[in-house]
Amino acid sequence: MALEELYREVILDHYRNPRNRGRLDEPEATAEGMNPLCGDEIHIDLRFEDGKVSAIAVEGQGCSISQASASMMSEAIKGKTREEISDLIARFRGMMSLEGGTDPGIDPDRPGASLGDMEALQGVRQYPVRIKCAALGWTVLQDALQS
Ligand code: ZN
């Protein structure tokens, strides 16, 4: 299977079967945001235990890129500390060639090795308008962590 096709499959899988969907009772942190260019909306609830994310719930609507990206993000940050999440956000931003990003550590011979399913979003870089779609969940997550 071509890599591009594989990436598309991963994105569609998250879009059709979004992980950690819904809302939390009594969230300790919460935020929402939208991408007016595309009409994407994301709401995130978080709870922590021992300084780590113990629960996350994502609700939203919009295009497949925005919803799949938020679903991947919700899986990636479970059990992580704020510091580890900041590192992930920076590497995601690096992968998308966004400001404040760091080297995501993508190994060209082993796609998906360092960022998991999220690596499927790197093809979106070719479409500047869609980068905002992919980044929305992460932007909302950053807001939630600061709330
Ligand atoms: Zn979108």
Side-chain angles (χ1 to χ4, degrees):
M1 193 187 283
L3 195 55
E4 210 167 290
E5 206 175 313
L6 178 71
Y7 284 164
R8 196 168 54 228
E9 284 298 313
V10 171
I11 290 169
L12 276 179
D13 177 53
H14 276 272
Y15 178 56
R16 291 177 181 145
N17 310 294
R19 322 298 200 260
N20 306 298
R21 195 80 174 162
R23 299 263 178 137
L24 297 180
D25 295 329
E26 299 174 31
E28 292 169 72
T30 185
E32 57 190 11
M34 63 177 305
N35 169 23
L37 287 177
C38 183
D40 307 319
E41 294 174 16
I42 299 281
H43 176 105
I44 295 176
D45 289 336
L46 295 170
R47 267 210 306 266
F48 302 89
E49 213 176 288
D50 298 328
K52 295 173 183 166
V53 172
S54 58
I56 173 168
V58 178
E59 218 174 53
Q61 52 183 0
C63 69
S64 57
I65 301 290
S66 67
Q67 303 305 308
S69 178
S71 169
M72 293 171 189
M73 177 274 290
S74 75
E75 279 203 313
I77 70 159
K78 238 185 202 172
K80 297 247 180 354
T81 64
R82 285 168 188 264
E83 222 166 61
E84 289 167 333
I85 292 171
S86 295
D87 175 60
L88 260 185
I89 291 173
R91 286 196 291 143
F92 174 80
R93 295 187 68 85
M95 180 176 81
M96 302 310 286
S97 307
L98 289 165
E99 214 176 298
T102 57
D103 184 348
I106 294 169
D107 182 341
D109 296 328
R110 285 176 56 211
S114 77
L115 284 173
D117 284 355
M118 284 188 283
E119 207 130 11
L121 292 166
Q122 63 181 292
V124 173
R125 271 184 312 188
Q126 300 162 43
Y127 312 99
V129 175
R130 310 312 297 280
I131 292 177
K132 280 203 159 67
C133 302
L136 178 63
W138 294 87
T139 309
V140 175
L141 173 66
Q142 246 170 337
D143 287 350
L145 288 173
Q146 284 159 8
S147 69

PDB file of all heavy atoms in Angstrom, residues 11 15 35 38-42 60-70 129-130 132-134 136:
ATOM      1  N   ILE A  11      -6.310   8.471   8.722  1.00  0.00           N
ATOM      2  CA  ILE A  11      -7.112   9.674   8.981  1.00  0.00           C
ATOM      3  C   ILE A  11      -8.606   9.335   8.935  1.00  0.00           C
ATOM      4  O   ILE A  11      -9.371   9.730   9.821  1.00  0.00           O
ATOM      5  CB  ILE A  11      -6.768  10.785   7.963  1.00  0.00           C
ATOM      6  CG1 ILE A  11      -5.362  11.328   8.246  1.00  0.00           C
ATOM      7  CG2 ILE A  11      -7.791  11.920   8.021  1.00  0.00           C
ATOM      8  CD1 ILE A  11      -4.796  12.240   7.171  1.00  0.00           C
ATOM      9  N   TYR A  15     -11.498   9.595  11.833  1.00  0.00           N
ATOM     10  CA  TYR A  15     -12.677  10.435  11.566  1.00  0.00           C
ATOM     11  C   TYR A  15     -13.967   9.638  11.795  1.00  0.00           C
ATOM     12  O   TYR A  15     -14.913  10.121  12.416  1.00  0.00           O
ATOM     13  CB  TYR A  15     -12.605  10.949  10.124  1.00  0.00           C
ATOM     14  CG  TYR A  15     -13.791  11.786   9.705  1.00  0.00           C
ATOM     15  CD1 TYR A  15     -14.160  12.920  10.439  1.00  0.00           C
ATOM     16  CD2 TYR A  15     -14.538  11.470   8.578  1.00  0.00           C
ATOM     17  CE1 TYR A  15     -15.234  13.696  10.064  1.00  0.00           C
ATOM     18  CE2 TYR A  15     -15.629  12.248   8.189  1.00  0.00           C
ATOM     19  CZ  TYR A  15     -15.969  13.360   8.940  1.00  0.00           C
ATOM     20  OH  TYR A  15     -17.037  14.122   8.559  1.00  0.00           O
ATOM     21  N   ASN A  35     -12.237  26.948  13.891  1.00  0.00           N
ATOM     22  CA  ASN A  35     -11.468  27.376  12.729  1.00  0.00           C
ATOM     23  C   ASN A  35     -12.468  27.920  11.720  1.00  0.00           C
ATOM     24  O   ASN A  35     -13.072  27.167  10.967  1.00  0.00           O
ATOM     25  CB  ASN A  35     -10.698  26.169  12.169  1.00  0.00           C
ATOM     26  CG  ASN A  35     -10.092  26.450  10.824  1.00  0.00           C
ATOM     27  OD1 ASN A  35      -9.861  27.601  10.459  1.00  0.00           O
ATOM     28  ND2 ASN A  35      -9.836  25.400  10.074  1.00  0.00           N
ATOM     29  N   CYS A  38     -12.896  26.970   7.943  1.00  0.00           N
ATOM     30  CA  CYS A  38     -13.434  25.691   7.492  1.00  0.00           C
ATOM     31  C   CYS A  38     -14.717  25.336   8.229  1.00  0.00           C
ATOM     32  O   CYS A  38     -15.454  24.457   7.807  1.00  0.00           O
ATOM     33  CB  CYS A  38     -12.360  24.622   7.709  1.00  0.00           C
ATOM     34  SG  CYS A  38     -12.768  22.985   7.138  1.00  0.00           S
ATOM     35  N   GLY A  39     -14.982  26.039   9.356  1.00  0.00           N
ATOM     36  CA  GLY A  39     -16.164  25.731  10.150  1.00  0.00           C
ATOM     37  C   GLY A  39     -15.938  24.613  11.147  1.00  0.00           C
ATOM     38  O   GLY A  39     -16.889  24.035  11.660  1.00  0.00           O
ATOM     39  N   ASP A  40     -14.669  24.296  11.434  1.00  0.00           N
ATOM     40  CA  ASP A  40     -14.356  23.229  12.388  1.00  0.00           C
ATOM     41  C   ASP A  40     -14.530  23.728  13.821  1.00  0.00           C
ATOM     42  O   ASP A  40     -14.177  24.866  14.129  1.00  0.00           O
ATOM     43  CB  ASP A  40     -12.902  22.769  12.230  1.00  0.00           C
ATOM     44  CG  ASP A  40     -12.573  22.387  10.812  1.00  0.00           C
ATOM     45  OD1 ASP A  40     -13.419  21.737  10.178  1.00  0.00           O
ATOM     46  OD2 ASP A  40     -11.474  22.734  10.351  1.00  0.00           O
ATOM     47  N   GLU A  41     -15.047  22.854  14.694  1.00  0.00           N
ATOM     48  CA  GLU A  41     -15.199  23.178  16.111  1.00  0.00           C
ATOM     49  C   GLU A  41     -14.678  22.017  16.954  1.00  0.00           C
ATOM     50  O   GLU A  41     -14.937  20.854  16.623  1.00  0.00           O
ATOM     51  CB  GLU A  41     -16.674  23.408  16.468  1.00  0.00           C
ATOM     52  CG  GLU A  41     -17.266  24.623  15.803  1.00  0.00           C
ATOM     53  CD  GLU A  41     -18.771  24.746  16.073  1.00  0.00           C
ATOM     54  OE1 GLU A  41     -19.265  24.078  17.006  1.00  0.00           O
ATOM     55  OE2 GLU A  41     -19.423  25.492  15.330  1.00  0.00           O
ATOM     56  N   ILE A  42     -13.984  22.366  18.041  1.00  0.00           N
ATOM     57  CA  ILE A  42     -13.462  21.351  18.964  1.00  0.00           C
ATOM     58  C   ILE A  42     -13.674  21.822  20.394  1.00  0.00           C
ATOM     59  O   ILE A  42     -13.397  22.980  20.723  1.00  0.00           O
ATOM     60  CB  ILE A  42     -11.938  21.111  18.759  1.00  0.00           C
ATOM     61  CG1 ILE A  42     -11.638  20.606  17.359  1.00  0.00           C
ATOM     62  CG2 ILE A  42     -11.385  20.174  19.829  1.00  0.00           C
ATOM     63  CD1 ILE A  42     -11.914  19.137  17.132  1.00  0.00           C
ATOM     64  N   GLY A  60     -16.783  17.650  18.885  1.00  0.00           N
ATOM     65  CA  GLY A  60     -16.594  18.630  17.835  1.00  0.00           C
ATOM     66  C   GLY A  60     -17.283  18.244  16.556  1.00  0.00           C
ATOM     67  O   GLY A  60     -17.909  17.193  16.448  1.00  0.00           O
ATOM     68  N   GLN A  61     -17.171  19.138  15.607  1.00  0.00           N
ATOM     69  CA  GLN A  61     -17.676  18.844  14.279  1.00  0.00           C
ATOM     70  C   GLN A  61     -16.823  19.592  13.273  1.00  0.00           C
ATOM     71  O   GLN A  61     -16.167  20.567  13.614  1.00  0.00           O
ATOM     72  CB  GLN A  61     -19.138  19.259  14.168  1.00  0.00           C
ATOM     73  CG  GLN A  61     -19.397  20.685  14.606  1.00  0.00           C
ATOM     74  CD  GLN A  61     -20.882  21.021  14.547  1.00  0.00           C
ATOM     75  OE1 GLN A  61     -21.689  20.191  14.185  1.00  0.00           O
ATOM     76  NE2 GLN A  61     -21.227  22.253  14.896  1.00  0.00           N
ATOM     77  N   GLY A  62     -16.838  19.100  12.055  1.00  0.00           N
ATOM     78  CA  GLY A  62     -16.049  19.750  11.027  1.00  0.00           C
ATOM     79  C   GLY A  62     -15.472  18.729  10.075  1.00  0.00           C
ATOM     80  O   GLY A  62     -15.935  17.590   9.998  1.00  0.00           O
ATOM     81  N   CYS A  63     -14.418  19.125   9.386  1.00  0.00           N
ATOM     82  CA  CYS A  63     -13.869  18.282   8.331  1.00  0.00           C
ATOM     83  C   CYS A  63     -13.100  17.089   8.910  1.00  0.00           C
ATOM     84  O   CYS A  63     -12.781  17.053  10.093  1.00  0.00           O
ATOM     85  CB  CYS A  63     -12.947  19.110   7.439  1.00  0.00           C
ATOM     86  SG  CYS A  63     -11.430  19.623   8.251  1.00  0.00           S
ATOM     87  N   SER A  64     -12.809  16.134   8.066  1.00  0.00           N
ATOM     88  CA  SER A  64     -12.148  14.914   8.514  1.00  0.00           C
ATOM     89  C   SER A  64     -10.768  15.201   9.111  1.00  0.00           C
ATOM     90  O   SER A  64     -10.373  14.563  10.085  1.00  0.00           O
ATOM     91  CB  SER A  64     -12.010  13.927   7.354  1.00  0.00           C
ATOM     92  OG  SER A  64     -11.308  14.500   6.287  1.00  0.00           O
ATOM     93  N   ILE A  65     -10.043  16.179   8.561  1.00  0.00           N
ATOM     94  CA  ILE A  65      -8.697  16.470   9.069  1.00  0.00           C
ATOM     95  C   ILE A  65      -8.768  16.985  10.503  1.00  0.00           C
ATOM     96  O   ILE A  65      -8.029  16.529  11.383  1.00  0.00           O
ATOM     97  CB  ILE A  65      -7.985  17.524   8.180  1.00  0.00           C
ATOM     98  CG1 ILE A  65      -7.867  17.044   6.736  1.00  0.00           C
ATOM     99  CG2 ILE A  65      -6.612  17.867   8.750  1.00  0.00           C
ATOM    100  CD1 ILE A  65      -6.907  15.932   6.513  1.00  0.00           C
ATOM    101  N   SER A  66      -9.676  17.924  10.759  1.00  0.00           N
ATOM    102  CA  SER A  66      -9.751  18.515  12.100  1.00  0.00           C
ATOM    103  C   SER A  66     -10.197  17.478  13.130  1.00  0.00           C
ATOM    104  O   SER A  66      -9.631  17.409  14.236  1.00  0.00           O
ATOM    105  CB  SER A  66     -10.714  19.706  12.114  1.00  0.00           C
ATOM    106  OG  SER A  66     -12.058  19.283  11.885  1.00  0.00           O
ATOM    107  N   GLN A  67     -11.182  16.668  12.790  1.00  0.00           N
ATOM    108  CA  GLN A  67     -11.712  15.710  13.755  1.00  0.00           C
ATOM    109  C   GLN A  67     -10.750  14.534  13.958  1.00  0.00           C
ATOM    110  O   GLN A  67     -10.571  14.044  15.072  1.00  0.00           O
ATOM    111  CB  GLN A  67     -13.089  15.212  13.314  1.00  0.00           C
ATOM    112  CG  GLN A  67     -14.110  16.344  13.110  1.00  0.00           C
ATOM    113  CD  GLN A  67     -14.268  17.247  14.324  1.00  0.00           C
ATOM    114  OE1 GLN A  67     -14.496  16.783  15.432  1.00  0.00           O
ATOM    115  NE2 GLN A  67     -14.120  18.558  14.135  1.00  0.00           N
ATOM    116  N   ALA A  68     -10.113  14.088  12.880  1.00  0.00           N
ATOM    117  CA  ALA A  68      -9.148  12.993  13.000  1.00  0.00           C
ATOM    118  C   ALA A  68      -7.935  13.441  13.807  1.00  0.00           C
ATOM    119  O   ALA A  68      -7.426  12.703  14.652  1.00  0.00           O
ATOM    120  CB  ALA A  68      -8.704  12.518  11.617  1.00  0.00           C
ATOM    121  N   SER A  69      -7.490  14.660  13.574  1.00  0.00           N
ATOM    122  CA  SER A  69      -6.324  15.174  14.292  1.00  0.00           C
ATOM    123  C   SER A  69      -6.610  15.249  15.792  1.00  0.00           C
ATOM    124  O   SER A  69      -5.777  14.869  16.619  1.00  0.00           O
ATOM    125  CB  SER A  69      -5.944  16.558  13.757  1.00  0.00           C
ATOM    126  OG  SER A  69      -4.851  17.074  14.466  1.00  0.00           O
ATOM    127  N   ALA A  70      -7.815  15.721  16.160  1.00  0.00           N
ATOM    128  CA  ALA A  70      -8.185  15.818  17.578  1.00  0.00           C
ATOM    129  C   ALA A  70      -8.279  14.427  18.197  1.00  0.00           C
ATOM    130  O   ALA A  70      -7.894  14.223  19.356  1.00  0.00           O
ATOM    131  CB  ALA A  70      -9.504  16.569  17.726  1.00  0.00           C
ATOM    132  N   VAL A 129      -4.189  25.659   3.683  1.00  0.00           N
ATOM    133  CA  VAL A 129      -5.498  25.951   4.283  1.00  0.00           C
ATOM    134  C   VAL A 129      -5.881  24.867   5.289  1.00  0.00           C
ATOM    135  O   VAL A 129      -6.514  25.134   6.309  1.00  0.00           O
ATOM    136  CB  VAL A 129      -6.582  26.062   3.183  1.00  0.00           C
ATOM    137  CG1 VAL A 129      -7.961  26.236   3.799  1.00  0.00           C
ATOM    138  CG2 VAL A 129      -6.273  27.232   2.268  1.00  0.00           C
ATOM    139  N   ARG A 130      -5.470  23.618   5.003  1.00  0.00           N
ATOM    140  CA  ARG A 130      -5.845  22.515   5.868  1.00  0.00           C
ATOM    141  C   ARG A 130      -4.971  22.394   7.117  1.00  0.00           C
ATOM    142  O   ARG A 130      -5.308  21.692   8.054  1.00  0.00           O
ATOM    143  CB  ARG A 130      -5.794  21.181   5.120  1.00  0.00           C
ATOM    144  CG  ARG A 130      -6.524  21.153   3.797  1.00  0.00           C
ATOM    145  CD  ARG A 130      -7.933  21.723   3.883  1.00  0.00           C
ATOM    146  NE  ARG A 130      -8.862  21.021   4.742  1.00  0.00           N
ATOM    147  CZ  ARG A 130      -9.505  19.913   4.401  1.00  0.00           C
ATOM    148  NH1 ARG A 130      -9.314  19.353   3.246  1.00  0.00           N
ATOM    149  NH2 ARG A 130     -10.355  19.364   5.235  1.00  0.00           N
ATOM    150  N   LYS A 132      -4.495  24.569   9.351  1.00  0.00           N
ATOM    151  CA  LYS A 132      -5.286  25.113  10.462  1.00  0.00           C
ATOM    152  C   LYS A 132      -6.285  24.073  10.974  1.00  0.00           C
ATOM    153  O   LYS A 132      -6.575  24.011  12.163  1.00  0.00           O
ATOM    154  CB  LYS A 132      -6.035  26.372  10.022  1.00  0.00           C
ATOM    155  CG  LYS A 132      -5.172  27.617  10.006  1.00  0.00           C
ATOM    156  CD  LYS A 132      -6.054  28.866  10.120  1.00  0.00           C
ATOM    157  CE  LYS A 132      -5.279  30.075  10.610  1.00  0.00           C
ATOM    158  NZ  LYS A 132      -4.290  30.557   9.681  1.00  0.00           N
ATOM    159  N   CYS A 133      -6.809  23.267  10.065  1.00  0.00           N
ATOM    160  CA  CYS A 133      -7.730  22.201  10.453  1.00  0.00           C
ATOM    161  C   CYS A 133      -7.001  21.195  11.354  1.00  0.00           C
ATOM    162  O   CYS A 133      -7.496  20.811  12.401  1.00  0.00           O
ATOM    163  CB  CYS A 133      -8.263  21.475   9.223  1.00  0.00           C
ATOM    164  SG  CYS A 133      -9.132  22.529   8.044  1.00  0.00           S
ATOM    165  N   ALA A 134      -5.804  20.793  10.912  1.00  0.00           N
ATOM    166  CA  ALA A 134      -5.036  19.793  11.656  1.00  0.00           C
ATOM    167  C   ALA A 134      -4.582  20.332  13.001  1.00  0.00           C
ATOM    168  O   ALA A 134      -4.473  19.593  13.979  1.00  0.00           O
ATOM    169  CB  ALA A 134      -3.831  19.349  10.833  1.00  0.00           C
ATOM    170  N   LEU A 136      -6.087  22.644  14.927  1.00  0.00           N
ATOM    171  CA  LEU A 136      -7.134  23.156  15.830  1.00  0.00           C
ATOM    172  C   LEU A 136      -7.169  22.424  17.173  1.00  0.00           C
ATOM    173  O   LEU A 136      -7.152  23.054  18.231  1.00  0.00           O
ATOM    174  CB  LEU A 136      -8.508  23.097  15.145  1.00  0.00           C
ATOM    175  CG  LEU A 136      -9.683  23.553  16.014  1.00  0.00           C
ATOM    176  CD1 LEU A 136      -9.531  25.028  16.390  1.00  0.00           C
ATOM    177  CD2 LEU A 136     -11.018  23.327  15.297  1.00  0.00           C
TER     178      LEU A 136
END
